[in-house]
PDB file of all heavy atoms in Angstrom:
ATOM      1  N   LYS A   3     159.708  80.091 -82.771  1.00 83.00           N
ATOM      2  CA  LYS A   3     159.383  81.394 -82.231  1.00 83.00           C
ATOM      3  C   LYS A   3     158.088  81.929 -82.818  1.00 83.00           C
ATOM      4  O   LYS A   3     157.696  83.026 -82.533  1.00 83.00           O
ATOM      5  CB  LYS A   3     160.530  82.355 -82.514  1.00 83.00           C
ATOM      6  CG  LYS A   3     161.806  82.005 -81.769  1.00 83.00           C
ATOM      7  CD  LYS A   3     162.858  83.065 -81.927  1.00 83.00           C
ATOM      8  CE  LYS A   3     162.500  84.353 -81.235  1.00 83.00           C
ATOM      9  NZ  LYS A   3     163.602  85.339 -81.300  1.00 83.00           N
ATOM     10  N   THR A   4     157.471  81.177 -83.708  1.00 91.00           N
ATOM     11  CA  THR A   4     156.196  81.596 -84.293  1.00 91.00           C
ATOM     12  C   THR A   4     155.168  80.492 -84.137  1.00 91.00           C
ATOM     13  O   THR A   4     155.517  79.321 -84.054  1.00 91.00           O
ATOM     14  CB  THR A   4     156.356  81.940 -85.779  1.00 91.00           C
ATOM     15  OG1 THR A   4     156.746  80.765 -86.497  1.00 91.00           O
ATOM     16  CG2 THR A   4     157.396  83.020 -86.007  1.00 91.00           C
ATOM     17  N   THR A   5     153.905  80.890 -84.105  1.00 93.00           N
ATOM     18  CA  THR A   5     152.791  79.949 -84.018  1.00 93.00           C
ATOM     19  C   THR A   5     151.812  80.254 -85.128  1.00 93.00           C
ATOM     20  O   THR A   5     151.377  81.406 -85.283  1.00 93.00           O
ATOM     21  CB  THR A   5     152.074  80.067 -82.663  1.00 93.00           C
ATOM     22  OG1 THR A   5     153.025  79.875 -81.604  1.00 93.00           O
ATOM     23  CG2 THR A   5     150.983  79.005 -82.542  1.00 93.00           C
ATOM     24  N   GLN A   6     151.488  79.220 -85.904  1.00 96.00           N
ATOM     25  CA  GLN A   6     150.546  79.371 -87.019  1.00 96.00           C
ATOM     26  C   GLN A   6     149.530  78.247 -86.971  1.00 96.00           C
ATOM     27  O   GLN A   6     149.845  77.137 -86.519  1.00 96.00           O
ATOM     28  CB  GLN A   6     151.296  79.276 -88.362  1.00 96.00           C
ATOM     29  CG  GLN A   6     152.348  80.350 -88.593  1.00 96.00           C
ATOM     30  CD  GLN A   6     153.073  80.123 -89.906  1.00 96.00           C
ATOM     31  OE1 GLN A   6     154.219  79.687 -89.939  1.00 96.00           O
ATOM     32  NE2 GLN A   6     152.390  80.433 -90.995  1.00 96.00           N
ATOM     33  N   PRO A   7     148.309  78.496 -87.456  1.00 97.00           N
ATOM     34  CA  PRO A   7     147.350  77.388 -87.549  1.00 97.00           C
ATOM     35  C   PRO A   7     147.862  76.367 -88.549  1.00 97.00           C
ATOM     36  O   PRO A   7     148.455  76.729 -89.562  1.00 97.00           O
ATOM     37  CB  PRO A   7     146.062  78.070 -88.051  1.00 97.00           C
ATOM     38  CG  PRO A   7     146.524  79.343 -88.672  1.00 97.00           C
ATOM     39  CD  PRO A   7     147.749  79.755 -87.941  1.00 97.00           C
ATOM     40  N   PRO A   8     147.634  75.078 -88.309  1.00 96.00           N
ATOM     41  CA  PRO A   8     148.186  74.062 -89.205  1.00 96.00           C
ATOM     42  C   PRO A   8     147.561  74.063 -90.591  1.00 96.00           C
ATOM     43  O   PRO A   8     148.228  73.706 -91.563  1.00 96.00           O
ATOM     44  CB  PRO A   8     147.894  72.738 -88.480  1.00 96.00           C
ATOM     45  CG  PRO A   8     146.834  73.053 -87.503  1.00 96.00           C
ATOM     46  CD  PRO A   8     146.995  74.480 -87.120  1.00 96.00           C
ATOM     47  N   SER A   9     146.301  74.464 -90.695  1.00 97.00           N
ATOM     48  CA  SER A   9     145.673  74.457 -92.017  1.00 97.00           C
ATOM     49  C   SER A   9     144.568  75.502 -92.096  1.00 97.00           C
ATOM     50  O   SER A   9     144.001  75.906 -91.069  1.00 97.00           O
ATOM     51  CB  SER A   9     145.098  73.071 -92.333  1.00 97.00           C
ATOM     52  OG  SER A   9     144.075  72.752 -91.421  1.00 97.00           O
ATOM     53  N   MET A  10     144.311  75.943 -93.335  1.00 97.00           N
ATOM     54  CA  MET A  10     143.226  76.881 -93.603  1.00 97.00           C
ATOM     55  C   MET A  10     142.694  76.606 -94.992  1.00 97.00           C
ATOM     56  O   MET A  10     143.428  76.112 -95.861  1.00 97.00           O
ATOM     57  CB  MET A  10     143.717  78.333 -93.542  1.00 97.00           C
ATOM     58  CG  MET A  10     144.122  78.826 -92.184  1.00 97.00           C
ATOM     59  SD  MET A  10     144.613  80.560 -92.207  1.00 97.00           S
ATOM     60  CE  MET A  10     143.090  81.355 -92.659  1.00 97.00           C
ATOM     61  N   ASP A  11     141.434  76.960 -95.195  1.00 97.00           N
ATOM     62  CA  ASP A  11     140.824  76.878 -96.512  1.00 97.00           C
ATOM     63  C   ASP A  11     140.325  78.252 -96.916  1.00 97.00           C
ATOM     64  O   ASP A  11     139.939  79.056 -96.073  1.00 97.00           O
ATOM     65  CB  ASP A  11     139.640  75.901 -96.492  1.00 97.00           C
ATOM     66  CG  ASP A  11     140.077  74.469 -96.467  1.00 97.00           C
ATOM     67  OD1 ASP A  11     140.358  73.960 -95.380  1.00 97.00           O
ATOM     68  OD2 ASP A  11     140.177  73.881 -97.554  1.00 97.00           O
ATOM     69  N   CYS A  12     140.319  78.490 -98.223  1.00 96.00           N
ATOM     70  CA  CYS A  12     139.826  79.765 -98.735  1.00 96.00           C
ATOM     71  C   CYS A  12     139.236  79.517-100.116  1.00 96.00           C
ATOM     72  O   CYS A  12     139.750  78.693-100.881  1.00 96.00           O
ATOM     73  CB  CYS A  12     140.971  80.773 -98.815  1.00 96.00           C
ATOM     74  SG  CYS A  12     140.500  82.399 -99.433  1.00 96.00           S
ATOM     75  N   ALA A  13     138.164  80.228-100.423  1.00 97.00           N
ATOM     76  CA  ALA A  13     137.544  80.097-101.743  1.00 97.00           C
ATOM     77  C   ALA A  13     138.326  80.911-102.766  1.00 97.00           C
ATOM     78  O   ALA A  13     138.824  82.016-102.467  1.00 97.00           O
ATOM     79  CB  ALA A  13     136.099  80.571-101.682  1.00 97.00           C
TER      80      ALA A  13
END
Side-chain angles (χ1 to χ4, degrees):
Chain A
K3 293 187 68 175
T4 64
T5 304
Q6 298 177 254
S9 63
M10 292 182 65
D11 285 84
C12 180

